């Protein structure tokens, strides 16, 4: 009886693992990476427009659901950038010194909120924190528009 329980437990574990693997592969297949660049000009300013989904004030980051594909880092430790589909969120680090506008008026980081439509201009830079150098997106300018704005 104990042997049967062990085999059933292993069978269930294998079934769950197989289901997770199948689902993760099918989700990854939806996000086909159309272009990968390793010779990208990192000083060129990129731009993305979409809806702000989250403002992480603790870590000074903004998350944007873009309306079109955008260029972003491939993975931690990589120096390649990828043309990501619009279903993937863009995450940018934000310094307090960049230019912010909300509804055409000067603003601060604290004035950004989820639900605002925004255009974010950003560049790629390496950040040497933690164990690996991380290629990240750093905002240069954020122009947001309130959802309640009538303009």
């Amino acid at each position: 009886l104990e042997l049967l329980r062990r085999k059933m437990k292993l069978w269930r574990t294998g079934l769950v693992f197989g289901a997770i693997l199948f689902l993760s592969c099918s989700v990854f297949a939806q996000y086909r990476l159309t272009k990968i660049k390793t010779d990208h000009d990192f000083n060129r300013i990129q731009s993305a427009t979409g809806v702000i989904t989250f403002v992480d004030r603790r870590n000074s980051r903004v998350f944007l659901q873009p309306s079109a594909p955008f260029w972003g880092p491939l993975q931690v430790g990589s120096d390649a950038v990828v043309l990501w589909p619009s279903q993937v969120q863009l995450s940018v680090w934000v310094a307090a010194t960049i230019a912010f506008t909300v509804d055409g008026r000067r603003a601060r980081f604290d004035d950004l909120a989820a639900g605002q439509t925004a255009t974010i201009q950003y560049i790629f830079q390496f950040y040497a924190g933690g164990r690996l150098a991380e290629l990240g997106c750093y905002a240069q300018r954020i122009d947001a528009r309130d959802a309640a704005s009538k303009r």
Side-chain angles (χ1 to χ4, degrees), residues 109-121:
F109 183 65
D110 292 336
D111 298 325
L112 296 177
Q116 292 175 331
T117 301
T119 299
I120 298 178
Q121 295 177 357

Side-chain angles (χ1 to χ4, degrees), residues 5-26:
R5 283 185 190 163
R6 285 185 189 165
K7 285 187 177 186
M8 287 297 289
K9 188 175 182 180
L10 284 173
W11 182 79
R12 280 185 294 186
T13 304
L15 184 63
V16 169
F17 178 72
I20 291 171
L21 184 63
F22 173 77
L23 290 174
S24 63
C25 288
S26 64

Side-chain angles (χ1 to χ4, degrees), residues 76-99:
V76 175
S78 172
D79 62 349
V81 295
V82 174
L83 185 61
W84 288 100
S86 60
Q87 295 90 345
V88 177
Q89 289 190 9
L90 170 65
S91 167
V92 294
W93 277 287
V94 180
T97 57
I98 70 164

Side-chain angles (χ1 to χ4, degrees), residues 48-122:
T49 300
V51 177
I52 295 175
T53 56
F54 182 67
V55 179
D56 182 359
R57 299 192 196 294
R58 183 173 183 212
N59 296 310
S60 299
R61 291 179 80 140
V62 173
F63 294 84
L64 182 82
Q65 186 65 56
S67 56
F70 66 94
W71 288 101
L74 177 61
Q75 64 187 18
V76 175
S78 172
D79 62 349
V81 295
V82 174
L83 185 61
W84 288 100
S86 60
Q87 295 90 345
V88 177
Q89 289 190 9
L90 170 65
S91 167
V92 294
W93 277 287
V94 180
T97 57
I98 70 164
F100 296 98
T101 62
V102 175
D103 294 329
R105 295 189 181 111
R106 287 187 72 176
R108 300 178 323 205
F109 183 65
D110 292 336
D111 298 325
L112 296 177
Q116 292 175 331
T117 301
T119 299
I120 298 178
Q121 295 177 357
Y122 61 97

